[in-house]
Amino acid sequence: MNRTETGLVNSPPRRWLQRTYEVPVLLRFGGRLLPGTRALEIGCGSGYGSQLILERFGADTVDAVDLDPTMICRAARRLARYGDRVRLAQGSATDLRAALDADDESYGAVFDFGIVHHIPDWRKATAEVARVIAPGGRFYFEEVTSHALARPAYQRLFDHPADDRFSAEQFLDELTRNGLVVLGSLTRIQGDYLLGAAAKPVSTGGER
Ligand SMILES: C[S@@+](CC[C@H](N)C(=O)[O-])C[C@H]1O[C@@H](n2cnc3c(N)ncnc32)[C@H](O)[C@@H]1O
């Protein structure tokens, strides 16, 4: 992330948006977590999302990973009060075994607050998400689409991978290709932003 985006994601308006808009939408599509749920946040940034995952979604514990060690330090300061309910790791969402020793089907919920569009091999990241979600578990996502990234203002202000970005439809298709069932989603601002939740079916095709 460049300095402009780093400043923006660490700002009070970003936290306000996450708290007052994104969380209610994601809860509407995916619901609160079952007691005892072990959650994972990919690209946790300064850790505010993990705080919301504990407080608003009801996770028992959160493992959180970010590529940027500076962000992990920020998240460690914010989340210190939760003690061993939070585990932080520096690493990539494209290899959760290396970052967190994450086994197949080891999380009841995975959260993506605006990170997959930063990853050059975004399909690898979605495959990793699908791999680590347990049957009946949830994937909550908030993403920035190729439509937004193509806007001149976005290109001037921010620094994202340019090739092979995804539309809302392509992102949802990729989840389905990886065995997840989309529970609900919406797009905002002419398709610039995508929010939704998906589930990994239990063996009979049911959920939770
Ligand atoms: C736009 S910020 C979002 C931060 C936070 N989730 C939020 O909503 O405020 C994207 C974050 O993803 C992280 N990131 C980028 N590529 C990553 C990867 N391959 N694996 C894990 N984190 C990554 C960046 O370091 C950054 O903290």
Side-chain angles (χ1 to χ4, degrees):
M1 278 196 306
N2 66 11
R3 286 179 58 169
T4 309
E5 190 170 8
T6 303
L8 200 66
V9 297
N10 291 326
S11 70
R14 167 71 193 128
R15 291 194 287 278
W16 177 84
L17 186 70
Q18 221 172 344
R19 182 173 68 243
T20 62
Y21 178 69
E22 294 174 8
V23 167
V25 170
L26 297 183
L27 281 169
R28 171 148 62 89
F29 290 129
R32 261 176 75 86
L33 303 176
L34 296 174
T37 296
R38 183 169 181 241
L40 165 69
E41 184 184 9
I42 55 172
C44 63
S46 68
Y48 189 59
S50 290
Q51 189 177 326
L52 295 170
I53 292 163
L54 291 165
E55 303 284 354
R56 301 277 299 277
F57 289 85
D60 190 34
T61 62
V62 183
D63 289 356
V65 63
D66 200 286
L67 200 55
D68 181 347
T70 315
M71 288 299 200
I72 290 295
C73 290
R74 277 178 182 268
R77 285 197 294 275
R78 179 186 299 286
L79 299 165
R81 75 184 96 152
Y82 296 103
D84 60 10
R85 291 180 68 199
V86 174
R87 185 165 65 120
L88 294 165
Q90 189 272 325
S92 177
T94 55
D95 189 351
L96 295 168
R97 218 181 271 286
L100 285 160
D101 205 17
D103 283 335
D104 294 356
E105 304 187 342
S106 51
Y107 291 99
V110 178
F111 289 81
D112 153 25
F113 286 107
I115 161 205
V116 173
H117 67 282
H118 274 277
I119 302 180
D121 192 349
W122 64 274
R123 291 182 180 82
K124 195 168 178 189
T126 53
E128 267 299 79
V129 166
R131 179 184 72 77
V132 301
I133 296 180
R138 296 281 188 262
F139 177 40
Y140 299 84
F141 50 90
E142 177 262 309
E143 268 307 330
V144 181
T145 69
S146 50
H147 199 261
L149 300 177
R151 289 188 188 275
Y154 239 88
Q155 295 191 348
R156 236 186 353 263
L157 287 172
F158 307 126
D159 184 18
H160 293 99
D163 296 332
D164 187 30
R165 297 302 82 195
F166 49 80
S167 64
E169 196 179 13
Q170 285 169 325
F171 189 80
L172 298 175
D173 282 351
E174 194 63 16
L175 300 186
T176 306
R177 218 176 60 76
N178 281 289
L180 301 180
V181 174
V182 177
L183 301 173
S185 69
L186 59 77
T187 57
R188 281 285 177 259
I189 319 186
Q190 300 167 336
D192 280 13
Y193 301 98
L194 170 70
L195 294 99
K200 181 181 275 191
V202 291
S203 53
T204 56
E207 288 146 19
R208 284 219 251 216

